[in-house]
């Protein structure tokens, strides 16, 4: 059987979900029998070099770069999976969703307790190179179609593993009660 | 309460209970768990969440507000049917998108009944889009926080947390989806630790939290980490 090709991305996430992928311990040896990684921080491939079977997305969309990246993943992956609370519902970055962006930026760069010293010129970063901050942090499935969801903060390694194996081998996915958790 | 017994069936199981009891409790006494969120022992039911909806002779009814009457003799009650479970799951999903539920940062996580319901139904993602409403936190009380982002407007706090004279520490303002819980700050100024704890524990979600206390129980040891909601009720009965 040819290996399935997997790509991964961390959008507005903390890399915790990627750590959880690595948390499958020695099963990582079985994983590399099963899959080949393409664009991913795990192997540091920066651009897609071929079409992928599965894309694992960590993090929601908080800026324009996240959106471009996510759309690129959708174009290049047959199946897209939202991995973790941030991809699923914005997660902790989405705590800002009920506060206007302007207020958030002002608090972070102008009004915050440490800004007096570090940002004496009172600049809100505005370089053209910087991605635009979105009005809200969006769950991935509100931007592109997402095929599957794996909740958790991060999702248990067992959940990611079982789901991947089920998906790639066609094995039935049985989820014990302890495995589906939101924290 | 009369001692007349009412006989009925839930999903084919023969049940018998005292006339006048609510159907939710009657089911429980017969070893049948009906999912719930706004109901609690020894408090007048409010029937606000509708998670406990069952079908009585084909008709949807909230189990917690349905008393066993003579007419219910030989009633056929449906509880765990795919249709009812699907509807309950949908209510849970609606509650998640209607408020702001950031479980990873919530002190109630692991002990939360709403979350436990989502676990029961293995909710991977709500099928509705998130509202991200703007809701205010009230942290001005000496003993408790009120975080309305997580409130499901079940009014358990209003119904159960009272002083010796029967005055509620909580009240509501506006109705329907605009309903907001408020603290009676005059009363709450002298709230005891015991009552603050009861308020926190009675709230099915993490909307009422006791101050100077949090994340006490490690992950893995919390109420719903290993066992689904309903397990302990049924164990109590046995
Ligand atoms: S109240 Fe319950 S569902 Fe809401 S954030 Fe807290 S743990 Fe999650
Ligand atoms: S604060 Fe808690 S107990 Fe009170 S209405 Fe909201 S969810 Fe219910
Ligand atoms: S438990 Fe019966 S309506 Fe909420």
């Amino acid at each position: 059987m040819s290996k399935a090709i997997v790509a991964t991305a961390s959008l507005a996430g903390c890399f915790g979900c990627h750590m959880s992928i690595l948390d499958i311990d020695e099963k990582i040896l079985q994983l590399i029998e099963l899959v080949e990684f393409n664009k991913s921080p795990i192997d540091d491939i920066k651009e897609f070099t071929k079409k992928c079977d599965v894309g694992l997305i960590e993090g929601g969309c908080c800026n324009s770069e996240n959106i471009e990246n996510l759309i690129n993943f959708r174009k290049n992956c047959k199946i897209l999976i939202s991995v973790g609370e941030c991809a699923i519902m914005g997660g902790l970055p989405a705590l800002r969703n009920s506060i206007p962006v302007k207020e958030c930026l002002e608090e972070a760069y102008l009004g915050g307790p440490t800004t007096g010293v570090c940002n004496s010129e009172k600049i809100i970063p505005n370089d053209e190179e910087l991605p635009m901050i979105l009005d809200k942090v969006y769950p991935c499935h509100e931007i592109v179609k997402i095929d599957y969801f794996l909740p958790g903060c991060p999702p248990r390694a067992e959940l990611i593993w079982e789901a991947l194996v089920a998906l790639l081998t066609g094995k039935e996915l049985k989820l014990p009660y302890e495995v589906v958790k939101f924290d | 309460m009369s001692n007349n017994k009412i006989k009925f069936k839930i999903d084919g199981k023969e049940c018998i209970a005292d006339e006048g009891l609510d159907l939710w409790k009657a089911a429980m006494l017969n070893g049948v768990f009906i999912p719930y969120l706004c109901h609690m022992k020894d408090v007048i039911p409010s029937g606000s969440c509708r998670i406990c909806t069952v079908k009585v002779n084909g008709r949807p009814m909230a189990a917690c507000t349905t008393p066993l009457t003579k007419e219910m003799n030989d009633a056929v009650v449906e509880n765990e049917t795919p249709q009812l479970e699907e509807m309950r799951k949908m209510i849970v999903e609606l509650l998640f998108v209607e408020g702001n539920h950031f479980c990873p940062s919530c002190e109630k996580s692991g002990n939360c009944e709403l979350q436990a319901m989502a676990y029961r139904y293995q909710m991977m993602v709500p099928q509705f889009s998130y509202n991200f409403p703007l809701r205010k936190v009230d942290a001005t009380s000496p003993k408790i926080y009120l975080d309305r982002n997580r409130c499901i407007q079940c009014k358990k706090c209003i119904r159960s947390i009272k002083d010796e004279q029967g005055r509620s520490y909580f009240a509501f303002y506006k109705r329907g989806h605009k309903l907001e819980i408020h603290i009676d700050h005059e009363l709450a100024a002298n709230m005891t630790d015991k009552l603050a704890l009861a308020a926190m524990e009675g709230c099915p979600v993490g909307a009422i939290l006791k101050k100077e206390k949090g994340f006490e129980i490690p992950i893995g040891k919390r109420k719903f980490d290993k066992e689904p909601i309903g397990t302990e009720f049924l164990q109590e009965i046995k």
Side-chain angles (χ1 to χ4, degrees):
Chain A
M1 196 177 86
S2 66
K3 287 185 182 180
I5 304 166
V6 175
T8 77
S10 176
L11 309 178
C14 69
F15 267 94
C17 295
H18 274 80
M19 297 306 288
S20 199
I21 298 175
L22 300 179
D23 220 16
I24 57 176
D25 299 331
E26 77 284 355
K27 287 202 208 79
I28 200 128
L29 299 173
Q30 289 174 46
L31 183 67
I32 50 171
E33 291 297 314
L34 208 59
V35 308
E36 167 193 326
F37 280 96
N38 199 266
K39 179 174 161 64
S40 166
I42 290 176
D43 54 17
D44 211 21
I45 298 181
K46 307 268 191 224
E47 297 300 334
F48 283 104
T49 57
K50 48 180 140 176
K51 294 277 177 198
C52 297
D53 296 298
V54 182
L56 302 176
I57 307 292
E58 163 192 320
C61 292
C62 79
N63 63 30
S64 54
E65 190 198 24
N66 296 152
I67 303 260
E68 282 161 29
N69 208 352
L70 184 59
I71 292 174
N72 196 20
F73 262 75
R74 183 69 276 181
K75 280 190 190 139
N76 285 285
C77 302
K78 278 190 219 148
I79 292 170
L80 265 197
I81 308 181
S82 270
V83 182
E85 291 304 308
C86 299
I88 289 175
M89 55 82 65
L92 299 196
L95 280 170
R96 77 161 161 95
N97 278 8
S98 52
I99 306 166
V101 181
K102 190 164 176 269
E103 259 177 58
C104 288
L105 289 172
E106 284 173 356
E107 177 66 21
Y109 294 103
L110 307 180
T114 57
T115 52
V117 193
C118 312
N119 186 13
S120 51
E121 287 168 61
K122 301 277 177 206
I123 296 170
I124 290 180
N126 58 2
D127 194 286
E128 276 178 13
E129 290 290 314
L130 292 173
M132 289 284 282
I133 293 254
L134 304 178
D135 62 334
K136 285 196 305 189
V137 179
Y138 290 85
C140 292
H141 64 276
E142 292 189 12
I143 306 294
V144 299
K145 180 182 180 342
I146 298 286
D147 303 289
Y148 299 104
F149 301 84
L150 299 176
C153 183
R156 307 290 181 269
E158 221 183 319
L159 175 63
I160 303 176
W161 170 251
E162 291 296 333
L164 261 186
V165 170
L167 189 61
L168 298 177
T169 63
K171 206 183 100 188
E172 194 193 342
L173 178 59
K174 285 217 180 80
L175 295 175
Y177 175 79
E178 305 84 65
V179 164
V180 179
K181 290 280 139 68
F182 301 161
D183 62 2
Chain B
M1 198 172 289
S2 79
N3 283 325
N4 286 341
K5 299 279 182 195
I6 307 290
K7 273 208 238 155
F8 55 101
K9 275 188 185 169
I10 304 183
D11 294 338
K13 182 180 167 152
E14 300 273 2
C15 299
I16 182 160
D18 288 343
E19 184 182 349
L21 272 186
D22 68 70
L23 181 53
W24 186 85
K25 188 158 188 200
M28 206 55 101
L29 292 173
N30 282 276
V32 176
F33 175 67
I34 300 177
Y36 72 99
L37 273 181
C38 68
H39 195 32
M40 71 198 298
K41 273 190 218 158
D42 312 322
V43 177
I44 299 169
S46 73
S48 61
C49 76
R50 312 317 272 189
I51 297 254
C52 69
T53 301
V54 291
K55 280 193 179 177
V56 181
N57 293 330
R59 198 164 163 232
M61 319 266 265
C64 70
T65 51
T66 302
L68 285 190
T69 55
K70 282 200 192 64
E71 291 71 38
M72 287 197 43
N73 248 323
D74 299 321
V76 174
V77 180
E78 293 165 59
N79 176 33
E80 275 196 33
T81 63
Q83 190 203 16
L84 287 170
E85 289 285 87
E86 187 51 41
M87 179 218 66
R88 290 172 184 150
K89 184 179 183 202
M90 221 144 68
I91 297 176
V92 172
E93 291 176 340
L94 276 169
L95 289 172
F96 265 86
V97 300
E98 217 175 62
N100 294 310
H101 294 276
F102 297 96
C103 296
S105 68
C106 177
E107 283 180 37
K108 192 82 171 204
S109 192
N111 298 311
C112 167
E113 290 171 13
L114 174 63
Q115 190 190 54
M117 279 299 160
Y119 292 165
R120 173 186 167 96
Y121 297 115
Q122 294 211 321
M123 178 186 94
M124 296 302 195
V125 64
Q127 59 183 300
F128 309 102
S129 53
Y130 289 94
N131 285 351
F132 295 120
L134 178 59
R135 297 216 192 134
K136 294 224 167 74
V137 176
D138 181 352
T140 57
S141 208
K143 294 283 184 217
I144 49 170
Y145 297 99
L146 176 62
D147 187 340
R148 300 188 183 94
N149 289 292
R150 304 174 186 138
C151 175
I152 57 168
Q153 289 100 19
C154 70
K155 299 187 193 161
K156 264 190 190 175
C157 50
I158 303 177
R159 285 180 284 149
S160 62
I161 305 300
K162 300 181 176 183
D163 69 2
E164 308 85 60
Q165 296 172 44
R167 294 178 300 183
S168 290
Y169 283 77
F170 298 89
F172 69 88
Y173 170 63
K174 297 190 186 166
R175 288 177 196 280
H177 71 284
K178 290 190 184 144
L179 190 144
E180 238 176 49
I181 298 294
H182 284 260
I183 303 174
D184 181 328
H185 284 292
E186 252 171 55
L187 280 188
N190 299 314
M191 198 178 212
T192 60
D193 281 307
K194 198 169 155 227
L195 207 55
L197 190 67
M200 175 169 95
E201 285 174 352
C203 176
V205 289
I208 301 174
L209 295 173
K210 192 167 178 300
K211 285 188 174 175
E212 294 172 14
K213 186 178 187 340
F215 299 106
E216 266 198 329
I217 312 169
I219 293 183
K221 297 230 163 96
R222 301 166 306 179
K223 204 162 161 197
F224 303 116
D225 281 338
K226 300 254 159 65
E227 299 208 311
I229 189 163
T231 316
E232 73 172 15
F233 271 110
L234 295 178
Q235 274 164 357
E236 242 174 67
I237 303 294
K238 270 186 200 152

